[in-house]
Amino acid sequence: MFTVNGTTIVDYPRFQHRGLLLDTSRHFLDVSIIKQNLLAMSQSKFNVFHWHIVDDQSFPYTSNNFPDMATMGAYDSKHIYTQDQIAEIIEFARILGIRVIPEFDSPGHSQSWGKSIKDLLTKCYSSGKPNGQYGPIDPSLETSYGFLSKFFAEIAKVFPDHYVHLGGDEVNFDCWKSNPNITAFMKQKDFGTDYAKLEEYYMQRLLDIVSGVKKGYMIWQEVVDNGAKVNPDTIVEVWKSGFHIELSIITFRGYKTLLSSCWYLSDISYGIDWPKYYNCDPHNFIGTAEQKKLVIGGETCMWGEYVDNTNVLSRTWPRASVVAERLWSAQNVKDANAAAPRLEEHRCRMIKRGFPAEAVNGPGYCSQEYSIHEPV
């Protein structure tokens, strides 16, 4: 006679989008490191890898249609992702139940694009003459949109997820203001001196291009803040301070929304800093029940200015797990004191599995400590 103990577990996610952003432009991350991070994500119930793959500093994406973008835009030939490696990462993530959403941010954050694509970036002027500096993508030239059409047609095939992140943040208008050709274009379009309208014009053209290749898009909040018309299935990511007001505004307009403002893990500090991430709730804004439903989740971000292969995993984990619990567990699971021992246990579990998860609760120990081989 055998007796089997029956246990029923009722568990489900509060939010459908539980994402983590890694930046592979400021510092290149090896494929093996990205895979380790994906494994850690799967063990903390994250389900979206937001891959900020390129930026001003480098362009490690190897394009089939524009191979010189990586040849000339990456740090060097060793710091690139081949098409095979990208497919490998996407498949590795898929098996773990993680979507891969790439970000190709423009018209700003695009200096590395212009190293190979002629006349893509705006020429900056001083005293009526080009000064050798370049600004955001030039929105006045039709050649810019011809390039973008061909480029995003490729991206639509390489990355199978329905969504691609198009950025649209932190566009500096100074170079546009200095360029006489753009001044003439502004006059032609009746934009006056409102360069936000020029940015809106560019983003609207880009959004139409991406819609044309049957992709949905995610964007940073500035795009809708500046008045661009976007598709109903657009996902707006709120990242600036004052997110309580921004979430109210964007959801009132009927757009699906993600929150990342309060979850920038790259903003490190000494001591126990994770409770501030734990105490941030995506529904902490004034709005109706219908507006709250439009907040589909959030993302924690590890920007790459000061992290690389040596420290990105320890800097990210287990602090990211705090955000994962906030996005998974019920709204009333919010006691940081009760969460602390769970976080400590999870950290020790990660260390036992081989992840260099850093200490987050002050003095203590794990029964099995993290160790590496001594250097030869």
Side-chain angles (χ1 to χ4, degrees):
M1 183 69 133
F2 295 95
T3 301
V4 177
N5 180 43
T7 301
T8 301
I9 297 175
V10 178
D11 193 22
Y12 52 88
R14 181 180 169 205
F15 293 101
Q16 69 185 68
H17 186 117
R18 304 177 303 281
L20 188 151
L21 176 150
L22 284 186
D23 169 7
T24 59
S25 173
R26 274 83 176 202
H27 279 99
F28 182 84
L29 299 176
D30 285 347
V31 172
S32 62
I33 296 293
I34 293 175
K35 284 183 171 182
Q36 281 185 273
N37 188 71
L38 288 167
L39 279 171
M41 287 175 63
S42 72
Q43 294 169 18
S44 290
K45 298 181 178 177
F46 282 106
N47 67 344
V48 179
F49 172 35
H50 177 165
W51 192 354
H52 190 88
I53 189 169
V54 302
D55 210 294
D56 283 331
Q57 290 77 9
S58 73
F59 197 98
Y61 170 78
T62 302
S63 168
N64 288 321
N65 292 332
F66 304 97
D68 284 349
M69 292 185 79
T71 302
M72 301 174 70
Y75 287 127
D76 63 27
S77 60
K78 295 179 181 178
H79 293 78
I80 61 170
Y81 301 107
T82 66
Q83 287 289 319
D84 286 344
Q85 288 173 322
I86 291 167
E88 180 184 346
I89 289 169
I90 292 170
E91 177 62 11
F92 189 85
R94 185 193 68 80
I95 292 169
L96 296 171
I98 297 173
R99 301 160 54 200
V100 177
I101 298 179
E103 181 180 354
F104 293 90
D105 194 355
S106 72
H109 293 276
S110 55
Q111 291 296 298
S112 63
W113 304 37
K115 293 181 179 179
S116 62
I117 306 300
K118 185 180 178 183
D119 296 328
L120 180 66
L121 301 182
T122 303
K123 292 175 181 168
C124 305
Y125 280 65
S126 296
S127 303
K129 296 180 180 179
N131 61 17
Q133 302 297 311
Y134 293 89
I137 289 175
D138 190 332
S140 70
L141 299 178
E142 280 302 311
T143 53
S144 297
Y145 305 107
F147 158 75
L148 291 166
S149 295
K150 191 172 182 181
F151 180 74
F152 280 101
E154 173 187 326
I155 296 305
K157 295 176 181 177
V158 173
F159 292 91
D161 197 88
H162 177 62
Y163 284 95
V164 59
H165 203 303
L166 300 178
D169 64 317
E170 298 181 320
V171 181
N172 189 312
F173 296 156
D174 291 343
C175 187
W176 282 352
K177 291 177 180 179
S178 76
N179 186 296
N181 298 321
I182 287 186
T183 301
F185 183 79
M186 293 274 288
K187 185 176 181 181
Q188 175 192 335
K189 292 291 183 182
D190 254 351
F191 292 161
T193 57
D194 188 352
Y195 285 84
K197 289 184 178 179
L198 182 62
E199 180 186 9
E200 178 191 345
Y201 172 83
Y202 169 85
M203 288 305 303
Q204 197 63 62
R205 293 285 302 268
L206 176 60
L207 299 179
D208 291 344
I209 286 168
V210 173
S211 295
V213 294
K214 310 302 181 186
K215 282 286 188 183
Y217 41 76
M218 294 170 57
I219 49 178
W220 297 111
Q221 66 183 74
E222 288 96 320
V223 178
V224 290
D225 287 346
N226 291 335
K229 298 175 184 177
V230 296
N231 284 342
D233 69 341
T234 300
I235 297 176
V236 181
E237 187 157 8
V238 174
W239 70 277
K240 291 185 174 182
S241 60
F243 68 87
H244 310 86
I245 297 172
E246 187 75 12
L247 287 172
S248 294
I249 293 171
I250 298 225
T251 54
F252 181 77
R253 294 176 182 174
Y255 297 124
K256 293 179 181 177
T257 311
L258 293 173
L259 176 65
S260 62
S261 302
C262 49
W263 292 322
Y264 272 37
L265 297 180
S266 42
D267 296 343
I268 63 167
S269 56
Y270 188 76
I272 302 174
D273 66 352
W274 64 264
K276 67 182 179 183
Y277 305 126
Y278 193 74
N279 292 329
C280 180
D281 192 285
H283 280 171
N284 187 16
F285 67 95
I286 297 173
T288 65
E290 291 304 309
Q291 284 179 261
K292 301 286 176 82
K293 288 179 182 177
L294 289 172
V295 182
I296 62 170
E299 295 188 338
T300 185
C301 303
M302 180 54 73
W303 296 101
E305 287 88 350
Y306 299 100
V307 292
D308 61 9
N309 287 338
T310 66
N311 65 346
V312 66
L313 292 173
S314 60
R315 192 72 61 81
T316 303
W317 301 101
R319 292 159 76 232
S321 303
V322 172
V323 181
E325 178 163 308
R326 172 57 52 241
L327 294 172
W328 178 279
S329 297
Q331 189 169 11
N332 62 3
V333 180
K334 57 184 180 181
D335 185 343
N337 290 326
R342 292 200 303 277
L343 180 60
E344 191 69 20
E345 180 182 1
H346 187 54
R347 175 190 175 245
C348 290
R349 186 185 302 122
M350 294 188 78
I351 286 176
K352 189 174 182 179
R353 292 170 178 172
F355 297 101
E358 69 179 11
V360 289
N361 281 329
Y365 76 101
C366 293
S367 60
Q368 180 176 322
E369 297 290 1
Y370 182 78
S371 62
I372 58 175
H373 296 296
E374 292 185 6
V376 177

